[in-house]
mmCIF file of all heavy atoms in Angstrom:
data_model
loop_
_atom_site.group_PDB
_atom_site.id
_atom_site.type_symbol
_atom_site.label_atom_id
_atom_site.label_comp_id
_atom_site.label_asym_id
_atom_site.label_seq_id
_atom_site.Cartn_x
_atom_site.Cartn_y
_atom_site.Cartn_z
ATOM 1 N N ASN A 183 -2.472 -3.472 0.633
ATOM 2 C CA ASN A 183 -1.883 -2.833 -0.540
ATOM 3 C C ASN A 183 -1.380 -3.918 -1.490
ATOM 4 O O ASN A 183 -0.398 -4.598 -1.204
ATOM 5 C CB ASN A 183 -0.732 -1.919 -0.111
ATOM 6 C CG ASN A 183 -0.142 -1.134 -1.268
ATOM 7 O OD1 ASN A 183 -0.213 -1.537 -2.429
ATOM 8 N ND2 ASN A 183 0.458 -0.001 -0.958
ATOM 9 N N GLN A 184 -2.050 -4.055 -2.627
ATOM 10 C CA GLN A 184 -1.619 -5.029 -3.628
ATOM 11 C C GLN A 184 -1.114 -4.330 -4.889
ATOM 12 O O GLN A 184 -1.280 -4.823 -6.002
ATOM 13 C CB GLN A 184 -2.750 -6.013 -3.929
ATOM 14 C CG GLN A 184 -3.062 -6.935 -2.744
ATOM 15 C CD GLN A 184 -3.806 -8.193 -3.126
ATOM 16 O OE1 GLN A 184 -4.655 -8.192 -4.008
ATOM 17 N NE2 GLN A 184 -3.479 -9.287 -2.463
ATOM 18 N N GLY A 185 -0.464 -3.175 -4.672
ATOM 19 C CA GLY A 185 0.217 -2.513 -5.769
ATOM 20 C C GLY A 185 1.494 -3.241 -6.128
ATOM 21 O O GLY A 185 2.211 -3.737 -5.255
ATOM 22 N N ILE A 186 1.788 -3.305 -7.432
ATOM 23 C CA ILE A 186 2.984 -3.988 -7.935
ATOM 24 C C ILE A 186 3.646 -3.099 -8.982
ATOM 25 O O ILE A 186 3.022 -2.706 -9.972
ATOM 26 C CB ILE A 186 2.623 -5.340 -8.583
ATOM 27 C CG1 ILE A 186 2.231 -6.357 -7.515
ATOM 28 C CG2 ILE A 186 3.765 -5.881 -9.415
ATOM 29 C CD1 ILE A 186 3.396 -6.925 -6.732
ATOM 30 N N GLY A 187 4.908 -2.775 -8.757
ATOM 31 C CA GLY A 187 5.634 -1.953 -9.711
ATOM 32 C C GLY A 187 5.629 -2.546 -11.108
ATOM 33 O O GLY A 187 5.979 -3.712 -11.291
ATOM 34 N N GLY A 188 5.199 -1.750 -12.102
ATOM 35 C CA GLY A 188 5.189 -2.180 -13.486
ATOM 36 C C GLY A 188 3.933 -2.897 -13.927
ATOM 37 O O GLY A 188 3.812 -3.268 -15.105
ATOM 38 N N ASP A 189 2.967 -3.094 -13.027
ATOM 39 C CA ASP A 189 1.809 -3.911 -13.378
ATOM 40 C C ASP A 189 0.779 -3.138 -14.196
ATOM 41 O O ASP A 189 0.799 -1.910 -14.280
ATOM 42 C CB ASP A 189 1.148 -4.481 -12.127
ATOM 43 C CG ASP A 189 0.483 -5.824 -12.400
ATOM 44 O OD1 ASP A 189 0.448 -6.248 -13.573
ATOM 45 O OD2 ASP A 189 -0.016 -6.449 -11.437
ATOM 46 N N VAL A 190 -0.126 -3.916 -14.800
ATOM 47 C CA VAL A 190 -1.142 -3.409 -15.719
ATOM 48 C C VAL A 190 -2.489 -4.041 -15.353
ATOM 49 O O VAL A 190 -2.573 -4.904 -14.474
ATOM 50 C CB VAL A 190 -0.786 -3.762 -17.181
ATOM 51 C CG1 VAL A 190 0.508 -3.093 -17.599
ATOM 52 C CG2 VAL A 190 -0.680 -5.282 -17.358
ATOM 53 N N PHE A 191 -3.541 -3.617 -16.047
ATOM 54 C CA PHE A 191 -4.844 -4.249 -15.867
ATOM 55 C C PHE A 191 -4.743 -5.723 -16.263
ATOM 56 O O PHE A 191 -4.505 -6.052 -17.423
ATOM 57 C CB PHE A 191 -5.898 -3.566 -16.743
ATOM 58 C CG PHE A 191 -6.376 -2.245 -16.216
ATOM 59 C CD1 PHE A 191 -5.844 -1.054 -16.705
ATOM 60 C CD2 PHE A 191 -7.359 -2.184 -15.239
ATOM 61 C CE1 PHE A 191 -6.292 0.168 -16.228
ATOM 62 C CE2 PHE A 191 -7.815 -0.964 -14.756
ATOM 63 C CZ PHE A 191 -7.279 0.216 -15.250
ATOM 64 N N CYS A 192 -4.931 -6.610 -15.291
ATOM 65 C CA CYS A 192 -4.858 -8.058 -15.542
ATOM 66 C C CYS A 192 -5.833 -8.733 -14.587
ATOM 67 O O CYS A 192 -5.561 -8.825 -13.386
ATOM 68 C CB CYS A 192 -3.441 -8.577 -15.336
ATOM 69 S SG CYS A 192 -3.292 -10.369 -15.539
ATOM 70 N N GLU A 193 -6.947 -9.199 -15.106
ATOM 71 C CA GLU A 193 -7.995 -9.725 -14.242
ATOM 72 C C GLU A 193 -7.560 -10.979 -13.483
ATOM 73 O O GLU A 193 -8.136 -11.310 -12.448
ATOM 74 C CB GLU A 193 -9.276 -9.979 -15.043
ATOM 75 C CG GLU A 193 -9.140 -10.888 -16.240
ATOM 76 C CD GLU A 193 -9.411 -12.337 -15.897
ATOM 77 O OE1 GLU A 193 -9.937 -12.585 -14.793
ATOM 78 O OE2 GLU A 193 -9.082 -13.203 -16.731
ATOM 79 N N GLN A 194 -6.506 -11.647 -13.934
ATOM 80 C CA GLN A 194 -5.988 -12.806 -13.207
ATOM 81 C C GLN A 194 -5.493 -12.435 -11.811
ATOM 82 O O GLN A 194 -5.446 -13.284 -10.917
ATOM 83 C CB GLN A 194 -4.838 -13.456 -13.978
ATOM 84 C CG GLN A 194 -5.252 -14.225 -15.224
ATOM 85 C CD GLN A 194 -4.028 -14.823 -15.892
ATOM 86 O OE1 GLN A 194 -3.182 -14.120 -16.437
ATOM 87 N NE2 GLN A 194 -3.926 -16.137 -15.842
ATOM 88 N N ASN A 195 -5.107 -11.181 -11.626
ATOM 89 C CA ASN A 195 -4.611 -10.754 -10.313
ATOM 90 C C ASN A 195 -5.687 -10.812 -9.236
ATOM 91 O O ASN A 195 -5.367 -10.865 -8.044
ATOM 92 C CB ASN A 195 -4.078 -9.319 -10.390
ATOM 93 C CG ASN A 195 -2.743 -9.215 -11.108
ATOM 94 O OD1 ASN A 195 -2.159 -10.229 -11.488
ATOM 95 N ND2 ASN A 195 -2.275 -7.997 -11.312
ATOM 96 N N LEU A 196 -6.947 -10.750 -9.630
ATOM 97 C CA LEU A 196 -8.048 -10.751 -8.663
ATOM 98 C C LEU A 196 -8.353 -12.184 -8.245
ATOM 99 O O LEU A 196 -8.772 -13.004 -9.062
ATOM 100 C CB LEU A 196 -9.283 -10.096 -9.280
ATOM 101 C CG LEU A 196 -9.163 -8.595 -9.570
ATOM 102 C CD1 LEU A 196 -10.309 -8.126 -10.458
ATOM 103 C CD2 LEU A 196 -9.130 -7.799 -8.276
ATOM 104 N N ASP A 197 -8.128 -12.487 -6.974
ATOM 105 C CA ASP A 197 -8.297 -13.849 -6.459
ATOM 106 C C ASP A 197 -9.582 -13.924 -5.629
ATOM 107 O O ASP A 197 -9.685 -13.302 -4.573
ATOM 108 C CB ASP A 197 -7.092 -14.220 -5.594
ATOM 109 C CG ASP A 197 -7.129 -15.667 -5.129
ATOM 110 O OD1 ASP A 197 -8.143 -16.346 -5.359
ATOM 111 O OD2 ASP A 197 -6.137 -16.118 -4.527
ATOM 112 N N PRO A 198 -10.575 -14.699 -6.076
ATOM 113 C CA PRO A 198 -11.821 -14.825 -5.316
ATOM 114 C C PRO A 198 -11.618 -15.387 -3.906
ATOM 115 O O PRO A 198 -12.457 -15.168 -3.028
ATOM 116 C CB PRO A 198 -12.663 -15.788 -6.169
ATOM 117 C CG PRO A 198 -12.087 -15.705 -7.543
ATOM 118 C CD PRO A 198 -10.623 -15.448 -7.347
ATOM 119 N N SER A 199 -10.510 -16.107 -3.693
ATOM 120 C CA SER A 199 -10.265 -16.714 -2.376
ATOM 121 C C SER A 199 -9.463 -15.805 -1.442
ATOM 122 O O SER A 199 -9.049 -16.246 -0.369
ATOM 123 C CB SER A 199 -9.529 -18.049 -2.555
ATOM 124 O OG SER A 199 -8.213 -17.834 -3.057
ATOM 125 N N LEU A 200 -9.243 -14.555 -1.841
ATOM 126 C CA LEU A 200 -8.493 -13.619 -0.999
ATOM 127 C C LEU A 200 -9.140 -13.542 0.385
ATOM 128 O O LEU A 200 -10.316 -13.197 0.497
ATOM 129 C CB LEU A 200 -8.483 -12.237 -1.651
ATOM 130 C CG LEU A 200 -7.720 -11.135 -0.906
ATOM 131 C CD1 LEU A 200 -6.213 -11.391 -0.964
ATOM 132 C CD2 LEU A 200 -8.033 -9.762 -1.527
ATOM 133 N N PRO A 201 -8.384 -13.841 1.462
ATOM 134 C CA PRO A 201 -8.968 -13.845 2.814
ATOM 135 C C PRO A 201 -9.016 -12.445 3.426
ATOM 136 O O PRO A 201 -8.632 -12.242 4.583
ATOM 137 C CB PRO A 201 -8.019 -14.760 3.586
ATOM 138 C CG PRO A 201 -6.690 -14.531 2.949
ATOM 139 C CD PRO A 201 -6.985 -14.325 1.466
ATOM 140 N N PHE A 202 -9.489 -11.499 2.666
ATOM 141 C CA PHE A 202 -9.595 -10.103 3.102
ATOM 142 C C PHE A 202 -10.862 -9.574 2.457
ATOM 143 O O PHE A 202 -10.963 -9.520 1.225
ATOM 144 C CB PHE A 202 -8.369 -9.307 2.645
ATOM 145 C CG PHE A 202 -8.337 -7.863 3.092
ATOM 146 C CD1 PHE A 202 -7.812 -7.520 4.324
ATOM 147 C CD2 PHE A 202 -8.833 -6.851 2.272
ATOM 148 C CE1 PHE A 202 -7.777 -6.191 4.733
ATOM 149 C CE2 PHE A 202 -8.796 -5.535 2.673
ATOM 150 C CZ PHE A 202 -8.265 -5.202 3.904
ATOM 151 N N LYS A 203 -11.831 -9.231 3.248
ATOM 152 C CA LYS A 203 -13.132 -8.790 2.742
ATOM 153 C C LYS A 203 -13.222 -7.265 2.862
ATOM 154 O O LYS A 203 -13.543 -6.736 3.924
ATOM 155 C CB LYS A 203 -14.269 -9.465 3.525
ATOM 156 C CG LYS A 203 -14.176 -10.990 3.535
ATOM 157 C CD LYS A 203 -14.071 -11.572 2.124
ATOM 158 C CE LYS A 203 -13.904 -13.086 2.141
ATOM 159 N NZ LYS A 203 -13.661 -13.641 0.792
ATOM 160 N N PRO A 204 -12.922 -6.550 1.774
ATOM 161 C CA PRO A 204 -12.845 -5.090 1.853
ATOM 162 C C PRO A 204 -14.217 -4.438 1.971
ATOM 163 O O PRO A 204 -15.230 -4.979 1.525
ATOM 164 C CB PRO A 204 -12.176 -4.708 0.532
ATOM 165 C CG PRO A 204 -12.557 -5.808 -0.411
ATOM 166 C CD PRO A 204 -12.614 -7.046 0.419
ATOM 167 N N SER A 205 -14.219 -3.251 2.575
ATOM 168 C CA SER A 205 -15.424 -2.417 2.585
ATOM 169 C C SER A 205 -15.324 -1.333 1.522
ATOM 170 O O SER A 205 -16.313 -0.656 1.233
ATOM 171 C CB SER A 205 -15.629 -1.787 3.973
ATOM 172 O OG SER A 205 -14.442 -1.227 4.480
ATOM 173 N N VAL A 206 -14.147 -1.187 0.911
ATOM 174 C CA VAL A 206 -13.950 -0.266 -0.206
ATOM 175 C C VAL A 206 -12.733 -0.733 -0.997
ATOM 176 O O VAL A 206 -11.791 -1.291 -0.426
ATOM 177 C CB VAL A 206 -13.782 1.193 0.288
ATOM 178 C CG1 VAL A 206 -12.588 1.325 1.206
ATOM 179 C CG2 VAL A 206 -13.680 2.167 -0.871
ATOM 180 N N VAL A 207 -12.767 -0.517 -2.320
ATOM 181 C CA VAL A 207 -11.684 -0.956 -3.213
ATOM 182 C C VAL A 207 -11.282 0.215 -4.106
ATOM 183 O O VAL A 207 -12.141 0.942 -4.615
ATOM 184 C CB VAL A 207 -12.141 -2.137 -4.101
ATOM 185 C CG1 VAL A 207 -11.025 -2.549 -5.062
ATOM 186 C CG2 VAL A 207 -12.582 -3.321 -3.251
ATOM 187 N N THR A 208 -9.979 0.407 -4.304
ATOM 188 C CA THR A 208 -9.494 1.375 -5.287
ATOM 189 C C THR A 208 -8.640 0.649 -6.323
ATOM 190 O O THR A 208 -7.900 -0.284 -5.988
ATOM 191 C CB THR A 208 -8.662 2.505 -4.650
ATOM 192 O OG1 THR A 208 -7.423 1.980 -4.154
ATOM 193 C CG2 THR A 208 -9.431 3.186 -3.520
ATOM 194 N N VAL A 209 -8.756 1.076 -7.575
ATOM 195 C CA VAL A 209 -8.021 0.472 -8.696
ATOM 196 C C VAL A 209 -7.251 1.583 -9.401
ATOM 197 O O VAL A 209 -7.848 2.566 -9.843
ATOM 198 C CB VAL A 209 -8.980 -0.210 -9.689
ATOM 199 C CG1 VAL A 209 -8.190 -0.829 -10.842
ATOM 200 C CG2 VAL A 209 -9.839 -1.253 -8.989
ATOM 201 N N ALA A 210 -5.936 1.448 -9.499
ATOM 202 C CA ALA A 210 -5.111 2.531 -10.058
ATOM 203 C C ALA A 210 -4.028 1.981 -10.991
ATOM 204 O O ALA A 210 -2.870 1.832 -10.606
ATOM 205 C CB ALA A 210 -4.473 3.349 -8.929
ATOM 206 N N TYR A 211 -4.426 1.653 -12.202
ATOM 207 C CA TYR A 211 -3.494 1.264 -13.255
ATOM 208 C C TYR A 211 -3.574 2.282 -14.387
ATOM 209 O O TYR A 211 -4.379 3.207 -14.346
ATOM 210 C CB TYR A 211 -3.850 -0.116 -13.817
ATOM 211 C CG TYR A 211 -3.778 -1.263 -12.849
ATOM 212 C CD1 TYR A 211 -4.947 -1.826 -12.326
ATOM 213 C CD2 TYR A 211 -2.561 -1.800 -12.455
ATOM 214 C CE1 TYR A 211 -4.892 -2.887 -11.443
ATOM 215 C CE2 TYR A 211 -2.493 -2.860 -11.566
ATOM 216 C CZ TYR A 211 -3.669 -3.402 -11.063
ATOM 217 O OH TYR A 211 -3.609 -4.450 -10.181
ATOM 218 N N GLY A 212 -2.759 2.086 -15.416
ATOM 219 C CA GLY A 212 -2.878 2.913 -16.609
ATOM 220 C C GLY A 212 -1.563 3.336 -17.235
ATOM 221 O O GLY A 212 -1.407 3.263 -18.451
ATOM 222 N N VAL A 213 -0.603 3.765 -16.420
ATOM 223 C CA VAL A 213 0.660 4.261 -16.979
ATOM 224 C C VAL A 213 1.392 3.153 -17.720
ATOM 225 O O VAL A 213 1.920 3.360 -18.822
ATOM 226 C CB VAL A 213 1.552 4.871 -15.881
ATOM 227 C CG1 VAL A 213 2.938 5.203 -16.429
ATOM 228 C CG2 VAL A 213 0.910 6.129 -15.317
ATOM 229 N N ASN A 214 1.433 1.950 -17.129
ATOM 230 C CA ASN A 214 2.147 0.843 -17.772
ATOM 231 C C ASN A 214 1.346 0.201 -18.905
ATOM 232 O O ASN A 214 1.900 -0.569 -19.691
ATOM 233 C CB ASN A 214 2.510 -0.213 -16.724
ATOM 234 C CG ASN A 214 3.402 0.345 -15.642
ATOM 235 O OD1 ASN A 214 4.468 0.894 -15.916
ATOM 236 N ND2 ASN A 214 2.973 0.233 -14.395
ATOM 237 N N ASP A 215 0.049 0.531 -18.982
ATOM 238 C CA ASP A 215 -0.798 0.029 -20.067
ATOM 239 C C ASP A 215 -0.689 0.893 -21.323
ATOM 240 O O ASP A 215 -1.222 0.534 -22.375
ATOM 241 C CB ASP A 215 -2.268 0.027 -19.623
ATOM 242 C CG ASP A 215 -2.527 -0.847 -18.422
ATOM 243 O OD1 ASP A 215 -2.364 -0.366 -17.280
ATOM 244 O OD2 ASP A 215 -2.901 -2.011 -18.608
ATOM 245 N N TRP A 216 -0.032 2.007 -21.191
ATOM 246 C CA TRP A 216 -0.023 3.052 -22.208
ATOM 247 C C TRP A 216 0.445 2.563 -23.579
ATOM 248 O O TRP A 216 -0.041 3.010 -24.617
ATOM 249 C CB TRP A 216 0.854 4.176 -21.684
ATOM 250 C CG TRP A 216 0.919 5.433 -22.457
ATOM 251 C CD1 TRP A 216 0.316 5.754 -23.642
ATOM 252 C CD2 TRP A 216 1.654 6.594 -22.068
ATOM 253 N NE1 TRP A 216 0.629 7.034 -24.012
ATOM 254 C CE2 TRP A 216 1.457 7.571 -23.052
ATOM 255 C CE3 TRP A 216 2.467 6.903 -20.972
ATOM 256 C CZ2 TRP A 216 2.048 8.840 -22.987
ATOM 257 C CZ3 TRP A 216 3.042 8.153 -20.896
ATOM 258 C CH2 TRP A 216 2.831 9.115 -21.904
#
Side-chain angles (χ1 to χ4, degrees):
N183 185 335
Q184 292 200 324
I186 288 285
D189 210 354
V190 297
F191 283 98
C192 177
E193 56 91 13
Q194 287 180 291
N195 286 356
L196 293 167
D197 185 353
S199 67
L200 181 70
F202 183 86
K203 305 306 177 186
S205 47
V206 60
V207 178
T208 68
V209 180
Y211 297 105
V213 172
N214 300 305
D215 300 86
W216 187 358

